[in-house]
Amino acid sequence: MPRSSAKGSIVPRPFHAPALLLTAALLALRAAAAPVVSPETVAVQLREAALAGHNIAYSWLAELTTRVGPRPAGSANEQAAAEWAAARLKALGFENVHIETFPITAWVRGSEHGELLVPSHQPLAVAALGESPPTPAAGIEGDVAIFATLADLQAAPAGSLSGRIAFVAARMVRTQDGAGYGPVVAARIDGPQAAARAGASAFMLRSVGTDSHRLPHTGTTGYTDGRVPLPAFALSAPDADQLERIAAFGQTPRVRLTSSASYVRGAHSQNVIADVRGSGKPEEFVLLGAHLDSWDLGTGALDDGAGTAIIVAAAKLIRDLPHKPRRTVRVVLFGSEEIAQPTPPGHAAGGFSYAENHRAELPRHVLTGESDLGADRIYSLALPAAAGKEPFAATALRVLGPLGILAEHEPPRDPGTDVGPTAEAGVPAFVLYQDANRYFDIHHSADDTLDKVERTPLDQNVAAWAALAWLAADSEVNFRGASR
Amino acid sequence: MPRSSAKGSIVPRPFHAPALLLTAALLALRAAAAPVVSPETVAVQLREAALAGHNIAYSWLAELTTRVGPRPAGSANEQAAAEWAAARLKALGFENVHIETFPITAWVRGSEHGELLVPSHQPLAVAALGESPPTPAAGIEGDVAIFATLADLQAAPAGSLSGRIAFVAARMVRTQDGAGYGPVVAARIDGPQAAARAGASAFMLRSVGTDSHRLPHTGTTGYTDGRVPLPAFALSAPDADQLERIAAFGQTPRVRLTSSASYVRGAHSQNVIADVRGSGKPEEFVLLGAHLDSWDLGTGALDDGAGTAIIVAAAKLIRDLPHKPRRTVRVVLFGSEEIAQPTPPGHAAGGFSYAENHRAELPRHVLTGESDLGADRIYSLALPAAAGKEPFAATALRVLGPLGILAEHEPPRDPGTDVGPTAEAGVPAFVLYQDANRYFDIHHSADDTLDKVERTPLDQNVAAWAALAWLAADSEVNFRGASR
């Protein structure tokens, strides 16, 4: 059982002088008393320290998004972010800090412009979709053919849209769990192909997002035979409304779209790796993931600077414990999550590269999870099925319960893009589900900036990640299913 | 006293078939009973009809912002809006509908771009301020000198900012009455001059707005010796935050700014005038104003499409009454409100042109007011001082009270930009104060689009304007102060 005198003993290095004095006093107390502290007590102490703001998440995030800003995959900024992160992780006392590079084809946004020509000259707020090809320099001009859904566009006869620009107007639904994303993101992925098959000269969609600002949401789109077949654009929600209203007034909107986007063959991206080496079985890993690249329009504060800040801050709290956990806690800051490379299909390059490079270690990866849904609060925990048979689950939920975190009754369906290849190789995964109500207002738009991050839920995230990672790393649970 | 059988007799022409049937029945009833209805009862009926949604404000606004979109002063779009409005006003049964043109120098936004160069390449969301001159084609590059306020910039020694770009970081405060606007808009007006005096090569300010989106707020700026002395830009709030954070991290932000804005000499703008001719003293006018021009970034839904919709819808309800008011209700949709011409200083061109063209009529303008603060609800009424001595004020407040409208104890300080020249010529003015909490999130930005307008408060505005305009027009009150 915990002793009250030990309560403050694992308070991490704080940032303010009064707290420093407090810590020094408590460390002295700990040295004198040296109480035996249970793993659950340590988890509670990690939780409370994080909740009290004694964690580096916000300062990490502020520095990353300010000094580096946008970090598109394969860019100089992404590389600078990786170098900055590696240097910071070393300075924070992480071990085995290194960068693993891998080749990608980078996509670079050029100048881009959208304009209504009929019923009058009106600027349109557009963003080229990631990896979509440029238009001719004079742009592409055409009447707009409006489809309510991707399925309607896919049903258009071949050649029926010749000389026209296809537009899918489907709206994303706001939900806590982000379930509205899937039904509409399909149009972003498969829309250009469907539009090309119908003979259209370009593709547009209503931004995959839940806000109503003149800020389009970009994102990657799908390849057909190794290329994105058409120039493709997201329209902001109010601009999409405008096209629909023009049609409702009985007019056919006519638009001009330009983009000078380009590709950089032979670019590279990189993963940043850092360990808190375990004290008992350091060859076993609890892998925490998030991605360092971002879209280019904003500064990648929510997507996914926040995730990197949360897992680094959580691991740093564990790093600063007087006693390290038995297993190694590994942090991986993935590169090139946002760009879906055509090979292998469906895999982001960073996650795939990690699974490739560390294939021999994967059987000793005991658990993995990633943080990539912004900075709002966590409301539930999904553990691998095997964890339900262990006291581990009950302990974890006791510790996370005061954070407002419930148990999911199903194991994770999709552990995330970055750790996906690792999970597919058999590594058990958990998910800490975050409230996504606000996330898709911001996601992939120019509005993804630091001011959207609130400190209280950010600290709650760090608290949950630190406590859970500690409990898993200090345990001997086999999350694959056989107790030992 | 009102008779309950007469209650529905002035319900205006509604838009839905069931209401049409109802109206027909009530009109038949009125023809049979022909009750004497007090002006206050008519005002209540106007109010209730507007509140029930039987008014054209939203459809007017939807059509204006969709078919025409942005309406910058002197543009083809502004002219198209005036022609559209005049045709619609004629079709709605207004009398004396005509357009009065006047010369202006138009300002045309070109392509514009802002970019951070230090500490890294990051796009900046910028908008050239109205009437500010272009940069050289290669842009203006410089280290940023940050000033907390305009006064701090004004205190910079002459020549001290040579080769640098001045940036005023002051933030607007959100309040119900919009009082936060004045203290910061001074930087937009006088900043370029102060920056030029200190030797800066360009001027930037944090957008005059209360939101936190990557959408800069444009607006007019001040002339010095007949010109705006420097290229001048508004930064979005998150971009302004970013510059301040970079400085807080100990680095000097370096930026490049480009604008290809241009001027069109010999352009013109226009006011649209329409009357509901009075039944007793048609030579006396109650003047309702709003402006038809807008900034170019959005579609001018709140600023000031909403104002035009509110006053037109209110006047249309009065137009459709079985008995016209004694005095003429005049609607003026002003042009070129947003551009402050250097001559005469401080006067918007539309308001000045009206006062000039109608100088002989102004002594017979008994009351004026304008709607130019968006579409959120009205919370108070300020009447000319002389009205306090009349039963008129008590009646008006009895009718407006159920709309949640209180009495202001002071007469209007500033009746508005459009009717300002008319008021300065001695015409008494009222103000219906609107809730401005949300207005400056949107004002002068690309986000000023129809989706920001909510129907319930829009209807409340129409209700108040219709009731008040009716009461003033049907009365014999001399708002200048001498009862007759």
Side-chain angles (χ1 to χ4, degrees), chain A residues 65-70 77 120-122 212-214 238 242 245-246 249 251 297 446-447 449-452, chain B residues 65-70 77 120-122 212-214 238 242 245-246 249 251 297 446-447 449-452:
Chain A
T65 57
T66 302
R67 289 193 192 277
V68 182
N77 275 20
S120 63
H121 282 267
Q122 304 184 27
S212 194
H213 297 292
R214 298 290 296 284
Q242 188 81 327
R245 249 190 328 264
I246 291 165
F249 282 151
Q251 292 185 279
L297 298 171
D447 241 358
T449 48
L450 183 65
D451 51 291
K452 310 308 182 303
Chain B
T65 58
T66 303
R67 290 193 192 275
V68 182
N77 276 20
S120 64
H121 282 267
Q122 305 184 27
S212 193
H213 297 293
R214 298 290 296 285
Q242 187 81 327
R245 253 193 322 267
I246 291 164
F249 283 151
Q251 292 185 280
L297 299 170
D447 242 357
T449 48
L450 184 64
D451 51 290
K452 309 308 181 304

Side-chain angles (χ1 to χ4, degrees), chain B residues 79-476:
Chain B
Q79 191 176 333
E83 286 164 6
W84 170 85
R88 284 282 271 140
L89 289 163
K90 280 178 193 164
L92 290 167
F94 285 83
E95 294 153 281
N96 185 33
V97 177
H98 66 282
I99 294 174
E100 299 179 356
T101 66
F102 50 87
I104 68 165
T105 295
W107 178 85
V108 182
R109 187 179 306 281
S111 66
E112 52 194 24
H113 184 68
E115 188 184 16
L116 264 171
L117 306 172
V118 173
S120 64
H121 282 267
Q122 305 184 27
L124 291 172
V126 298
L129 295 181
E131 297 164 88
S132 66
T135 66
I140 292 173
E141 185 180 321
D143 289 349
V144 178
I146 303 181
F147 297 89
T149 65
L150 173 64
D152 293 324
L153 172 58
Q154 287 170 328
S160 62
L161 301 183
S162 179
R164 290 195 284 169
I165 294 172
F167 169 55
V168 173
R171 289 158 194 249
M172 182 174 167
V173 176
R174 183 188 302 273
T175 69
Q176 177 179 279
D177 64 358
Y181 189 62
V184 282
V185 80
R188 204 186 72 205
I189 304 297
D190 297 329
Q193 179 180 4
R197 194 189 305 111
S201 51
F203 172 76
M204 302 191 295
L205 85 167
R206 183 186 178 101
S207 283
V208 176
T210 47
D211 65 305
S212 193
H213 297 293
R214 298 290 296 285
L215 295 168
H217 299 236
T218 189
T220 195
T221 185
Y223 286 76
T224 307
D225 301 330
R227 66 190 192 91
V228 176
L230 283 182
F233 298 84
L235 278 171
S236 88
D239 293 270
D241 290 346
Q242 187 81 327
L243 293 189
E244 291 194 279
R245 253 193 322 267
I246 291 164
F249 283 151
Q251 292 185 280
T252 300
R254 186 171 179 82
V255 304
R256 184 186 295 126
L257 299 166
T258 61
S259 162
S260 62
S262 58
Y263 305 89
V264 182
R265 319 275 171 198
H268 71 274
S269 179
Q270 57 279 309
N271 296 331
V272 182
I273 294 167
D275 290 346
V276 178
R277 188 174 161 80
S279 59
K281 291 207 168 182
E283 74 283 6
E284 293 190 354
F285 297 95
V286 172
L287 173 62
L288 314 184
H291 66 86
L292 203 50
D293 66 311
S294 77
W295 278 106
D296 53 341
L297 299 170
T299 62
L302 290 180
D303 186 12
D304 183 27
T308 69
I310 289 162
I311 64 166
V312 167
K316 167 67 174 164
L317 287 173
I318 296 169
R319 153 69 184 73
D320 289 349
L321 289 170
H323 300 291
K324 298 294 181 296
R326 295 171 49 81
R327 292 158 165 169
T328 293
V329 174
R330 171 166 288 178
V331 165
V332 181
L333 309 181
F334 291 91
S336 192
E337 190 269 354
E338 297 290 6
I339 292 203
Q341 296 294 304
T343 309
H347 281 144
F352 186 76
S353 171
Y354 180 82
E356 275 295 295
N357 289 353
H358 297 266
R359 193 149 299 277
E361 286 174 351
L362 295 189
R364 290 181 279 110
H365 280 51
V366 299
L367 188 66
T368 188
E370 76 180 54
S371 175
D372 187 14
L373 204 67
D376 277 345
R377 60 184 293 283
I378 296 166
Y379 64 88
S380 72
L381 166 66
L383 288 171
K389 300 174 192 139
E390 300 277 351
F392 177 86
T395 305
L397 288 164
R398 264 199 314 274
V399 174
L400 300 186
L403 295 172
I405 297 175
L406 298 167
E408 288 284 332
H409 296 297
E410 298 294 325
R413 286 178 300 279
D414 174 8
T417 306
D418 284 316
V419 304
T422 291
E424 282 168 28
V427 177
F430 67 92
V431 175
L432 285 162
Y433 288 103
Q434 290 175 273
D435 184 343
N437 272 302
R438 225 170 51 101
Y439 182 67
F440 292 100
D441 290 348
I442 304 299
H443 178 252
H444 291 190
S445 83
D447 242 357
D448 186 359
T449 48
L450 184 64
D451 51 290
K452 309 308 181 304
V453 174
E454 296 178 9
R455 288 183 193 228
T456 300
L458 183 69
D459 289 340
Q460 188 251 15
N461 273 265
V462 178
W465 279 85
L468 185 66
W470 157 263
L471 287 173
D474 202 49
S475 78
E476 298 189 65

